Amino acid sequence: MCEILRVRHLGYSYSASSFKALNDVNFSISKGEIVGIIGPNGSGKTTMVKSISSILQYEGSVKIEDKEVKDYSRKKLARILGVVAQEFLPSYNMSTTEVVELGRIPYTTIWGQITNEDKRAVEMAFESLEISHLKDRMFYSLSGGERQMVYVAKVFAQEPKILVLDEATAHLDIGHTEHLLKKIMKLSRENGKTVIATFHDINQAAAFSDRIMVMKDGNIVADGTPEDVLKEEIIYKVYGAHCTIIHHPRTGRIRVLSDLEDERNFAQQRSTLIRFGNSRST
Amino acid sequence: MKIGKGRALLLALPLLTAFVILNLAFGSVYTPFGDVLKSLLGLKVPETDKLILIQLRFPRILLGLGVGAALSVTGNSFQAMLKNPLADPYILGVSSGAAFGAILANALAQMYNPNLVFYVWIFAFSFGIIAAAITYLSARRGGKLPATELILSGVMVNLMFSAGVTFLIVYGWRDIQIATFWLLGSLAGVSWNYVLFVDVVAIASTFFFTMIGKYLNAMSAGEEEASYVGVRVEMLKVIIFAVGTFITAVAVSASGIIGFVGLVVPHIARRLFGADHRISMPASAVLGGVFLVACDTIARAAFTPAEMPIGTITALIGAPIFIYVLRRRSRIV
């Protein structure tokens, strides 16, 4: 498969501190791949997203289709790369159509306005996410889940080749999360879109991604299929958490179970013992 | 029947024109409506009425429309750029700078050279630009213009020039009346040429901000979001602040610091016509112009023979309207 994104020696430091939020990161992503990025808070996931999308002045090289992202004009880059962040919070209450129309800005000239073709793309974005019933509603009258769907519709309308999700499901319930991720997988499968998504929830990443990159302290410490990467020792090394790896009984996909439950059982056993001891002493 | 917001705005225009003509009748001397219409149609009316209407009231109304529109569209764009509902055209310090320049020119004219009175607006305009330039330069960080730094620098520059104004009034020169004109605003005594210049600037700026409305829509979702959809944020900021500074300096040099309009009219326009800047910009221009003309009519007609500074009326009338609009349950909350 042909390579669409190549990252070499990527580094970034916030302010003048010597602490590196990203430290010599190297990887490549092929066209049509769905890549999940996981890692604890502060591991550099969002910094990576912002570097790839040329928001931050990074060190090293980030090339999309063999061209450095810094060298793309903002408009050209927006046609190639669409970003969905955790939340979309406009200061004014726009209508949902106005929000989705923002995705068409990269296709208009400086003074140009929305054309019929743009309107069709907006319509398609609503339809492909099955949220046409939300059209022309006011953005802040929607639930959090609906708002996120409209936000994703905006990025769909942008028609990018690479879709970047930065913990886009962090505030969503299980229903909205499933709906959203399914639609994005469908878009990737049918249109060959490349997807890069950061996750807090390891199991969401496992269910969604073809490939997972695990980050810690600004580095990629593991990279491979979910089966290769999601191992108990890696999870412990990266998150400091004990877990058990199982397979989903129906889909066969890998699942990570936290061993917190064990702790509870242990605590319960202990309290029973104490109670038993107390009753014996009285 | 459902009509679009843009069409509603167009339909409102003839009504607003009629309203503006009504304003011609009022002032310290009442002119009958018949004479107003006759004079506008070029028919024969008493010479005094003609003089009052054509030389005094008409330019004043046109200036009110221009200044109101210019301040409102600038306020609207600054609020979107800074993601701050309290932003207004004066946030960069243009107003205090211009007032300082104007009062300095008047003081120098009285103390040294009376001819300087003819250059007051040049002083006002130049010091307005100088003040905004100081704000801009002190807020700039590594090629970027962070919103918080810009707002704080603007506050400092405003305070600095206000102190300068007080210093001039107290030590150098004690003509409070002229100072009041600049500090609270007035639409009186501006030449026809300058009125037309202000109106051309107002129309051009409304057109400009409406055309770039899509970028302002993107900016109101935050700078990063705007970048993601292809907006060159830092460049847009520089352009909008430069254009906004020029417009504000033109408006303040004509009419002094008229508060409230640039702050509140954009909010009212957005409540009535929605948040889309492609509609809220022309709506702000129309509402701002009409609001200022209405306030000016009250300022000059209700307290005859005295004239109330227009800034007082804009606040007295605008604040309750704003609170009403804010509380009204509407589709656009």
Side-chain angles (χ1 to χ4, degrees), chain B residues 20 59-77 79 88-90 185-187 194-195 197-203 205-206 209 247-248 250-269 280-296 310 314:
Chain B
V20 167
R60 210 171 154 144
I61 284 174
L62 285 182
L63 182 67
L65 286 174
V67 169
L71 293 178
S72 302
V73 292
T74 308
N76 196 350
S77 69
Q79 285 168 9
D88 76 352
Y90 304 149
S186 169
L187 296 174
Y194 204 73
V195 168
F197 175 59
V198 171
D199 283 348
V200 168
V201 168
I203 291 168
S205 54
T206 306
F209 285 125
I247 298 167
T248 312
V250 168
V252 177
S253 333
S255 60
I257 305 174
I258 300 177
F260 212 81
V261 184
L263 172 68
V264 165
V265 169
H267 285 280
I268 296 176
S280 80
M281 277 298 169
S284 295
V286 172
L287 290 177
V290 168
F291 175 70
L292 204 57
V293 169
C295 288
D296 186 49
I310 190 167
T314 52

Coordinates of all heavy atoms in Angstrom, one line a residue, chain B residues 20 59-77 79 88-90 185-187 194-195 197-203 205-206 209 247-248 250-269 280-296 310 314:
Chain B
V20 N -35.6 57.2 9.2 CA -34.6 58.2 9.2 C -35.1 59.5 8.7 O -34.8 60.6 9.3 CB -33.4 57.7 8.2 CG1 -32.5 58.8 7.9 CG2 -32.7 56.5 8.9
P59 N -26.7 66.2 7.1 CA -25.4 65.6 7.2 C -25.2 64.9 8.6 O -24.6 63.9 8.7 CB -24.5 66.8 7.2 CG -25.3 68.0 7.3 CD -26.7 67.6 6.8
R60 N -25.9 65.4 9.6 CA -25.8 64.8 10.9 C -26.4 63.4 10.9 O -25.9 62.4 11.5 CB -26.6 65.7 11.8 CG -26.1 65.6 13.2 CD -26.8 66.7 14.1 NE -26.7 66.2 15.4 CZ -26.5 66.9 16.5 NH1 -26.4 68.2 16.4 NH2 -26.4 66.4 17.7
I61 N -27.5 63.2 10.2 CA -28.2 61.9 10.1 C -27.3 60.9 9.3 O -27.1 59.8 9.7 CB -29.6 62.0 9.5 CG1 -30.5 62.6 10.6 CG2 -30.1 60.7 9.0 CD1 -31.9 62.9 10.1
L62 N -26.8 61.5 8.2 CA -25.9 60.6 7.4 C -24.6 60.2 8.2 O -24.2 59.1 8.1 CB -25.5 61.3 6.1 CG -26.5 61.4 5.0 CD1 -26.0 62.1 3.8 CD2 -27.1 60.1 4.6
L63 N -24.1 61.1 9.0 CA -23.0 60.8 9.8 C -23.3 59.8 10.8 O -22.6 58.8 11.1 CB -22.4 62.1 10.5 CG -21.2 61.9 11.3 CD1 -20.0 61.5 10.5 CD2 -20.9 63.1 12.2
G64 N -24.5 59.9 11.4 CA -25.0 59.0 12.4 C -25.1 57.6 11.8 O -24.6 56.6 12.4
L65 N -25.6 57.5 10.6 CA -25.7 56.2 9.9 C -24.4 55.6 9.7 O -24.1 54.4 10.0 CB -26.5 56.3 8.6 CG -28.0 56.6 8.7 CD1 -28.5 56.9 7.3 CD2 -28.7 55.4 9.3
G66 N -23.4 56.4 9.2 CA -22.1 56.0 8.9 C -21.3 55.5 10.2 O -20.8 54.4 10.2
V67 N -21.3 56.4 11.2 CA -20.6 56.1 12.4 C -21.2 54.8 13.1 O -20.5 53.9 13.5 CB -20.5 57.3 13.4 CG1 -20.0 56.9 14.7 CG2 -19.7 58.4 12.8
G68 N -22.5 54.8 13.2 CA -23.2 53.7 13.8 C -22.8 52.4 13.1 O -22.5 51.4 13.7
A69 N -22.9 52.4 11.8 CA -22.6 51.2 11.0 C -21.1 50.8 11.2 O -20.8 49.6 11.4 CB -22.9 51.4 9.5
A70 N -20.2 51.8 11.1 CA -18.8 51.5 11.1 C -18.4 50.9 12.5 O -17.7 49.9 12.6 CB -18.0 52.8 10.9
L71 N -18.9 51.5 13.6 CA -18.6 51.0 14.9 C -19.2 49.6 15.1 O -18.6 48.7 15.7 CB -19.1 52.0 16.0 CG -18.4 53.3 16.1 CD1 -19.1 54.2 17.2 CD2 -16.9 53.2 16.3
S72 N -20.4 49.4 14.6 CA -21.1 48.1 14.9 C -20.4 47.0 14.1 O -20.2 45.9 14.7 CB -22.5 48.2 14.4 OG -23.2 49.2 15.2
V73 N -20.0 47.2 12.9 CA -19.4 46.1 12.1 C -18.0 45.8 12.7 O -17.6 44.6 12.8 CB -19.3 46.3 10.6 CG1 -20.7 46.2 10.0 CG2 -18.6 47.6 10.2
T74 N -17.3 46.9 13.1 CA -16.0 46.7 13.7 C -16.1 45.9 15.0 O -15.4 44.9 15.3 CB -15.3 48.0 13.9 OG1 -15.3 48.7 12.7 CG2 -13.8 47.8 14.3
G75 N -17.1 46.3 15.9 CA -17.3 45.6 17.1 C -17.6 44.1 16.9 O -17.1 43.3 17.5
N76 N -18.5 43.9 15.9 CA -18.9 42.5 15.6 C -17.6 41.7 15.2 O -17.4 40.6 15.7 CB -19.9 42.5 14.5 CG -20.6 41.2 14.3 OD1 -20.3 40.3 14.9 ND2 -21.7 41.2 13.5
S77 N -16.8 42.3 14.3 CA -15.6 41.5 13.9 C -14.6 41.3 15.0 O -14.1 40.2 15.2 CB -14.9 42.2 12.7 OG -14.3 43.4 13.1
Q79 N -15.3 41.0 18.2 CA -15.9 40.0 19.1 C -15.6 38.6 18.6 O -15.3 37.7 19.4 CB -17.4 40.3 19.3 CG -17.7 41.5 20.2 CD -19.1 41.9 20.2 OE1 -20.0 41.3 19.7 NE2 -19.4 43.0 20.9
D88 N -15.1 45.5 21.9 CA -15.7 46.6 21.1 C -14.6 47.3 20.3 O -13.5 47.0 20.4 CB -16.5 47.5 22.0 CG -15.7 48.5 22.8 OD1 -14.5 48.4 22.8 OD2 -16.3 49.4 23.4
P89 N -15.0 48.2 19.4 CA -14.0 48.8 18.5 C -12.9 49.6 19.3 O -11.9 49.8 18.8 CB -14.8 49.8 17.7 CG -16.2 49.4 17.8 CD -16.4 48.7 19.1
Y90 N -13.2 49.9 20.6 CA -12.3 50.7 21.3 C -11.3 49.9 22.1 O -10.4 50.4 22.8 CB -13.0 51.7 22.3 CG -14.1 52.5 21.6 CD1 -15.2 52.9 22.3 CD2 -13.8 53.0 20.3 CE1 -16.2 53.7 21.6 CE2 -14.8 53.8 19.7 CZ -15.9 54.2 20.3 OH -16.8 55.0 19.7
G185 N -18.9 62.0 22.9 CA -19.3 62.0 21.5 C -20.4 62.9 21.1 O -21.2 63.4 21.9
S186 N -20.4 63.3 19.8 CA -21.4 64.2 19.3 C -21.3 64.1 17.8 O -20.3 63.9 17.2 CB -21.2 65.6 19.7 OG -22.1 66.5 19.0
L187 N -22.5 64.2 17.1 CA -22.5 64.2 15.7 C -22.6 65.6 15.1 O -22.7 65.7 13.9 CB -23.7 63.3 15.2 CG -23.7 61.9 15.6 CD1 -25.1 61.2 15.2 CD2 -22.6 61.1 15.0
Y194 N -16.4 65.4 5.1 CA -16.0 64.3 6.0 C -17.2 63.3 6.2 O -17.0 62.1 6.4 CB -15.6 64.9 7.4 CG -14.6 64.0 8.1 CD1 -13.3 63.8 7.6 CD2 -15.1 63.3 9.2 CE1 -12.5 62.9 8.3 CE2 -14.2 62.4 9.9 CZ -12.9 62.2 9.4 OH -12.1 61.3 10.0
V195 N -18.4 63.8 6.2 CA -19.6 63.0 6.4 C -19.6 61.9 5.3 O -19.8 60.7 5.5 CB -20.9 63.8 6.4 CG1 -22.1 62.9 6.2 CG2 -21.0 64.6 7.6
F197 N -17.1 61.0 3.5 CA -16.0 60.1 3.6 C -16.3 59.0 4.7 O -16.1 57.8 4.4 CB -14.7 60.9 4.1 CG -13.5 60.1 4.4 CD1 -13.0 59.2 3.5 CD2 -13.0 60.1 5.7 CE1 -11.9 58.5 3.8 CE2 -11.8 59.3 6.0 CZ -11.3 58.5 5.0
V198 N -16.9 59.4 5.8 CA -17.2 58.4 6.8 C -18.2 57.4 6.2 O -18.1 56.1 6.5 CB -17.8 59.1 8.1 CG1 -18.4 58.0 9.0 CG2 -16.8 59.9 8.8
D199 N -19.2 57.8 5.5 CA -20.2 56.9 4.9 C -19.6 56.0 3.9 O -20.0 54.8 3.9 CB -21.4 57.7 4.3 CG -22.3 58.3 5.3 OD1 -22.2 57.9 6.5 OD2 -23.1 59.2 5.0
V200 N -18.7 56.5 3.1 CA -18.0 55.5 2.1 C -17.3 54.5 2.9 O -17.3 53.3 2.6 CB -17.1 56.3 1.2 CG1 -16.2 55.4 0.4 CG2 -17.9 57.2 0.2
V201 N -16.5 54.9 4.0 CA -15.8 53.9 4.8 C -16.7 52.9 5.4 O -16.4 51.7 5.4 CB -15.0 54.7 5.9 CG1 -14.4 53.7 6.9 CG2 -13.8 55.5 5.2
A202 N -17.9 53.4 5.9 CA -18.8 52.5 6.6 C -19.4 51.5 5.6 O -19.4 50.3 5.9 CB -20.0 53.3 7.2
I203 N -19.7 51.9 4.4 CA -20.3 51.0 3.4 C -19.2 50.0 3.0 O -19.5 48.8 2.9 CB -20.8 51.8 2.1 CG1 -22.1 52.6 2.6 CG2 -21.2 50.8 1.0 CD1 -22.5 53.6 1.5
S205 N -16.6 49.1 4.6 CA -16.2 48.1 5.7 C -17.3 47.1 5.9 O -17.0 45.9 6.2 CB -15.9 48.9 7.0 OG -17.0 49.7 7.4
T206 N -18.6 47.5 5.8 CA -19.7 46.5 5.9 C -19.5 45.4 4.8 O -19.7 44.2 5.1 CB -21.0 47.2 5.8 OG1 -21.1 48.3 6.7 CG2 -22.2 46.2 6.0
F209 N -16.4 43.2 5.7 CA -16.6 42.2 6.8 C -17.7 41.1 6.4 O -17.7 40.0 6.9 CB -17.0 42.9 8.1 CG -15.9 43.6 8.7 CD1 -15.9 45.0 9.1 CD2 -14.7 42.9 9.0 CE1 -14.9 45.6 9.7 CE2 -13.6 43.5 9.7 CZ -13.7 44.9 10.0
I247 N -11.0 52.0 10.6 CA -12.4 52.4 10.6 C -12.8 53.2 11.9 O -13.4 54.2 11.9 CB -13.3 51.1 10.5 CG1 -13.1 50.4 9.2 CG2 -14.8 51.5 10.6 CD1 -13.7 49.0 9.1
T248 N -12.3 52.6 13.0 CA -12.6 53.2 14.3 C -12.0 54.6 14.4 O -12.6 55.6 14.8 CB -12.0 52.4 15.4 OG1 -12.4 51.0 15.2 CG2 -12.6 52.8 16.8
V250 N -11.4 56.6 11.9 CA -12.2 57.5 11.1 C -13.4 58.0 11.8 O -13.8 59.1 11.9 CB -12.6 56.8 9.7 CG1 -13.6 57.6 9.0 CG2 -11.3 56.7 8.9
A251 N -14.1 57.0 12.5 CA -15.4 57.3 13.2 C -15.1 58.2 14.3 O -15.9 59.2 14.5 CB -16.0 56.0 13.6
V252 N -14.1 57.9 15.1 CA -13.9 58.7 16.3 C -13.4 60.1 16.0 O -13.8 61.1 16.6 CB -12.8 58.0 17.3 CG1 -12.5 58.9 18.5 CG2 -13.4 56.7 17.8
S253 N -12.6 60.2 14.9 CA -12.2 61.6 14.5 C -13.4 62.4 14.1 O -13.3 63.6 14.1 CB -11.2 61.6 13.4 OG -10.5 60.4 13.3
A254 N -14.5 61.8 13.6 CA -15.6 62.5 13.2 C -16.6 62.9 14.4 O -17.2 63.9 14.4 CB -16.4 61.7 12.2
S255 N -16.7 61.9 15.3 CA -17.8 62.1 16.3 C -17.4 61.9 17.7 O -18.2 61.9 18.6 CB -18.9 61.1 15.9 OG -18.3 59.8 16.0
G256 N -16.1 61.8 18.0 CA -15.7 61.5 19.4 C -16.0 60.1 19.8 O -16.3 59.2 18.9
I257 N -15.8 59.8 21.1 CA -16.0 58.4 21.6 C -17.5 58.2 21.9 O -18.0 58.6 22.9 CB -15.2 58.2 22.8 CG1 -13.7 58.5 22.6 CG2 -15.4 56.7 23.2 CD1 -12.9 58.4 23.8
I258 N -18.2 57.6 20.9 CA -19.6 57.2 21.2 C -19.6 55.8 21.7 O -19.3 54.8 20.9 CB -20.5 57.4 20.0 CG1 -20.4 58.8 19.5 CG2 -21.9 57.0 20.3 CD1 -21.2 59.1 18.2
G259 N -19.9 55.6 22.9 CA -19.8 54.2 23.5 C -21.0 53.4 23.2 O -22.0 53.9 22.6
F260 N -21.0 52.1 23.6 CA -22.2 51.3 23.6 C -22.6 50.7 22.3 O -22.9 49.5 22.2 CB -23.4 52.0 24.2 CG -24.3 51.1 24.9 CD1 -24.0 50.7 26.2 CD2 -25.4 50.6 24.3 CE1 -24.9 49.9 26.9 CE2 -26.3 49.8 25.0 CZ -26.0 49.4 26.3
V261 N -22.5 51.5 21.2 CA -23.0 51.0 19.9 C -22.2 49.8 19.4 O -22.8 48.8 19.1 CB -22.9 52.2 18.8 CG1 -23.4 51.7 17.5 CG2 -23.5 53.4 19.3
G262 N -20.8 50.0 19.4 CA -20.0 48.9 18.9 C -20.0 47.7 19.8 O -19.6 46.6 19.3
L263 N -20.4 47.8 21.0 CA -20.4 46.7 21.9 C -21.7 45.9 21.8 O -21.7 44.7 21.7 CB -20.2 47.2 23.4 CG -20.4 46.2 24.5 CD1 -19.3 45.2 24.5 CD2 -20.4 46.9 25.9
V264 N -22.8 46.7 21.9 CA -24.1 46.0 22.1 C -24.9 45.7 20.7 O -25.5 44.7 20.6 CB -25.0 46.9 23.0 CG1 -26.4 46.5 22.9 CG2 -24.5 46.8 24.4
V265 N -24.7 46.6 19.8 CA -25.5 46.4 18.5 C -25.2 45.0 17.9 O -26.1 44.3 17.5 CB -25.3 47.5 17.5 CG1 -25.9 47.2 16.2 CG2 -26.0 48.8 18.1
P266 N -23.9 44.6 17.9 CA -23.6 43.3 17.3 C -24.3 42.1 18.0 O -24.8 41.2 17.4 CB -22.1 43.1 17.5 CG -21.5 44.5 17.5 CD -22.6 45.3 18.2
H267 N -24.4 42.3 19.3 CA -25.2 41.2 20.1 C -26.6 41.2 19.7 O -27.2 40.2 19.5 CB -25.1 41.5 21.6 CG -23.8 41.2 22.2 ND1 -23.4 39.9 22.5 CD2 -22.7 42.0 22.5 CE1 -22.1 39.9 23.0 NE2 -21.7 41.2 23.0
I268 N -27.2 42.4 19.6 CA -28.6 42.5 19.2 C -28.8 41.9 17.8 O -29.7 41.2 17.5 CB -29.1 44.0 19.3 CG1 -29.1 44.4 20.7 CG2 -30.6 44.1 18.7 CD1 -29.4 45.9 21.0
A269 N -27.9 42.3 16.9 CA -28.0 41.8 15.5 C -27.9 40.3 15.4 O -28.7 39.6 14.7 CB -26.9 42.4 14.6
S280 N -25.1 38.7 10.0 CA -25.1 39.6 11.1 C -24.3 40.8 10.9 O -24.5 41.8 11.5 CB -24.5 38.8 12.4 OG -23.1 38.7 12.3
M281 N -23.4 40.8 9.9 CA -22.6 42.0 9.5 C -23.5 43.1 8.9 O -23.6 44.2 9.5 CB -21.4 41.7 8.6 CG -20.2 41.2 9.3 SD -19.6 42.4 10.5 CE -18.4 41.4 11.3
P282 N -24.2 42.8 7.8 CA -25.1 43.9 7.3 C -26.2 44.3 8.3 O -26.6 45.4 8.4 CB -25.7 43.2 6.0 CG -25.3 41.8 6.0 CD -24.2 41.7 6.9
A283 N -26.6 43.3 9.1 CA -27.7 43.6 10.1 C -27.1 44.5 11.2 O -27.8 45.5 11.6 CB -28.1 42.3 10.8
S284 N -25.8 44.3 11.6 CA -25.2 45.2 12.5 C -25.1 46.6 12.0 O -25.3 47.6 12.7 CB -23.8 44.7 12.9 OG -23.8 43.5 13.5
A285 N -24.7 46.7 10.7 CA -24.5 48.0 10.1 C -25.8 48.8 10.1 O -25.9 49.9 10.5 CB -24.0 47.8 8.6
V286 N -26.9 48.1 9.6 CA -28.2 48.8 9.6 C -28.7 49.2 11.0 O -29.1 50.3 11.2 CB -29.3 47.9 8.8 CG1 -30.6 48.5 8.9 CG2 -28.8 47.7 7.4
L287 N -28.7 48.2 11.9 CA -29.2 48.5 13.2 C -28.3 49.5 13.9 O -28.9 50.4 14.6 CB -29.2 47.2 14.1 CG -30.2 46.1 13.7 CD1 -30.0 44.9 14.6 CD2 -31.6 46.6 13.8
G288 N -27.0 49.4 13.7 CA -26.1 50.4 14.4 C -26.4 51.8 13.9 O -26.5 52.8 14.7
G289 N -26.5 52.0 12.6 CA -26.8 53.3 12.0 C -28.1 53.8 12.5 O -28.2 55.0 12.9
V290 N -29.2 53.0 12.4 CA -30.5 53.5 12.8 C -30.5 53.8 14.3 O -31.1 54.8 14.7 CB -31.5 52.4 12.4 CG1 -32.9 52.8 13.1 CG2 -31.7 52.4 11.0
F291 N -29.9 53.0 15.1 CA -29.8 53.2 16.5 C -29.2 54.5 16.9 O -29.7 55.3 17.7 CB -29.1 52.0 17.2 CG -28.9 52.2 18.7 CD1 -30.0 52.1 19.5 CD2 -27.6 52.4 19.2 CE1 -29.8 52.2 20.9 CE2 -27.4 52.5 20.6 CZ -28.5 52.4 21.4
L292 N -28.1 54.8 16.2 CA -27.3 56.0 16.5 C -28.1 57.3 16.1 O -28.2 58.3 16.8 CB -26.0 56.0 15.8 CG -24.9 56.9 16.5 CD1 -24.7 56.5 17.9 CD2 -23.6 56.8 15.8
V293 N -28.8 57.1 14.9 CA -29.6 58.3 14.4 C -30.8 58.5 15.4 O -31.0 59.7 15.8 CB -30.2 58.0 13.0 CG1 -31.2 59.0 12.6 CG2 -29.0 58.0 12.0
A294 N -31.4 57.5 15.9 CA -32.5 57.6 16.8 C -32.0 58.3 18.1 O -32.6 59.2 18.7 CB -33.1 56.3 17.1
C295 N -30.8 57.8 18.6 CA -30.3 58.4 19.8 C -29.9 59.8 19.6 O -30.1 60.7 20.5 CB -29.0 57.6 20.3 SG -29.4 56.0 20.9
D296 N -29.4 60.2 18.5 CA -29.0 61.6 18.2 C -30.2 62.5 18.2 O -30.2 63.6 18.6 CB -28.2 61.6 16.9 CG -27.7 63.0 16.7 OD1 -27.1 63.6 17.6 OD2 -27.9 63.6 15.6
I310 N -24.3 62.4 23.1 CA -25.0 61.2 22.5 C -24.6 59.9 23.2 O -25.4 59.0 23.3 CB -24.7 61.2 21.0 CG1 -25.6 60.1 20.3 CG2 -23.3 60.9 20.6 CD1 -25.7 60.1 18.8
T314 N -27.1 56.8 24.1 CA -26.9 55.4 23.6 C -26.9 54.4 24.8 O -27.5 53.3 24.7 CB -25.5 55.3 22.8 OG1 -24.5 55.7 23.6 CG2 -25.6 56.0 21.5

